[in-house]
Amino acid sequence: MAVPYVVRKKADLTSGEKKELWYGVPKRVLNPIRNREFAEYMERRSGFHRGQIDGILTEMVDAIRTLLSIGQPVTIEGLGTFHTSLTSPGFERPEQVTPGKVSVSRVYFVACPEFGRQVKKMKCTRIPFNLYMPENMLTKEMKEADREQELATYNIGRLEIDEEVQE
């Protein structure tokens, strides 16, 4: 398995001048997996029943929300930690910083180091240019790159194809 990406032109301003360069960017080819589908996937892998898994996922969300509401970060070992950030306007005196003036600014998740390392090791694969670029933008080189990728995907070497054509 590999993480799919597409190629897009973006402005690069790091050198001080605007320069357009091509970058690999994530492509979401499918809709996000929801609890039910995730529970079905886990059922096939684990032997636990989908209903049990779905119930645990639902309860987990409620439990994390409750624990965050009392200022408690939540770590799911092997995955990471959920935290909250608080914000308030600045005041001249400490007693002016009242509960009504402080609010949660965001909830964030920090992956545990091992999980992050494993995800970063995932291979990436380019979605063929011809599936998302207009035909008039496809260059000879892009078409050749698509052909090479297709051959590599099916483990067919150029030599094998050339030999078959010559026979």
Side-chain angles (χ1 to χ4, degrees):
M1 293 301 220
V3 180
Y5 70 91
V6 294
V7 178
R8 294 279 187 242
K9 191 180 273 192
K10 294 166 122 183
D12 176 19
L13 305 172
T14 56
S15 64
E17 61 184 62
K18 184 178 178 180
K19 190 163 118 180
E20 287 196 336
L21 298 174
W22 293 92
Y23 294 89
V25 297
K27 173 62 177 173
R28 305 288 179 241
V29 289
L30 302 171
N31 292 326
I33 297 293
R34 304 276 183 204
N35 278 23
R36 181 182 177 93
E37 294 86 10
F38 188 58
E40 289 169 356
Y41 175 78
M42 288 181 63
E43 178 182 46
R44 288 190 300 272
R45 294 174 48 105
S46 70
F48 293 106
H49 295 289
R50 182 195 57 80
Q52 292 172 311
I53 296 167
D54 194 30
I56 290 168
L57 291 172
T58 301
E59 180 56 33
M60 184 181 79
V61 171
D62 188 51
I64 290 171
R65 183 176 33 249
T66 300
L67 291 166
L68 291 175
S69 78
I70 61 170
Q72 179 67 52
V74 178
T75 298
I76 299 173
E77 292 179 17
L79 185 62
T81 305
F82 294 88
H83 302 269
T84 57
S85 288
L86 302 180
T87 189
S88 73
F91 294 95
E92 303 260 338
R93 297 186 324 272
E95 67 274 8
Q96 292 176 306
V97 185
T98 60
K101 305 288 185 188
V102 179
S103 63
V104 174
S105 59
R106 69 184 185 118
V107 175
Y108 61 99
F109 171 78
V110 178
C112 78
E114 182 58 25
F115 182 81
R117 279 191 292 276
Q118 290 172 351
V119 170
K120 287 179 181 179
K121 286 181 184 177
M122 291 177 180
K123 303 276 187 221
C124 296
T125 186
R126 179 179 49 79
I127 295 174
F129 294 115
N130 63 14
L131 296 180
Y132 61 93
M133 290 242 183
E135 177 67 32
N136 63 346
M137 287 185 66
L138 294 176
T139 65
K140 178 182 171 189
E141 293 80 9
M142 292 164 83
K143 290 176 183 178
E144 179 62 24
D146 279 354
R147 183 175 176 275
E148 292 293 327
Q149 182 177 347
E150 184 178 348
L151 294 174
T153 299
Y154 297 107
N155 294 324
I156 302 172
R158 182 185 284 270
L159 183 61
E160 293 173 20
I161 290 175
D162 290 343
E163 288 173 357
E164 288 178 18
V165 170
Q166 291 175 358
E167 291 177 1

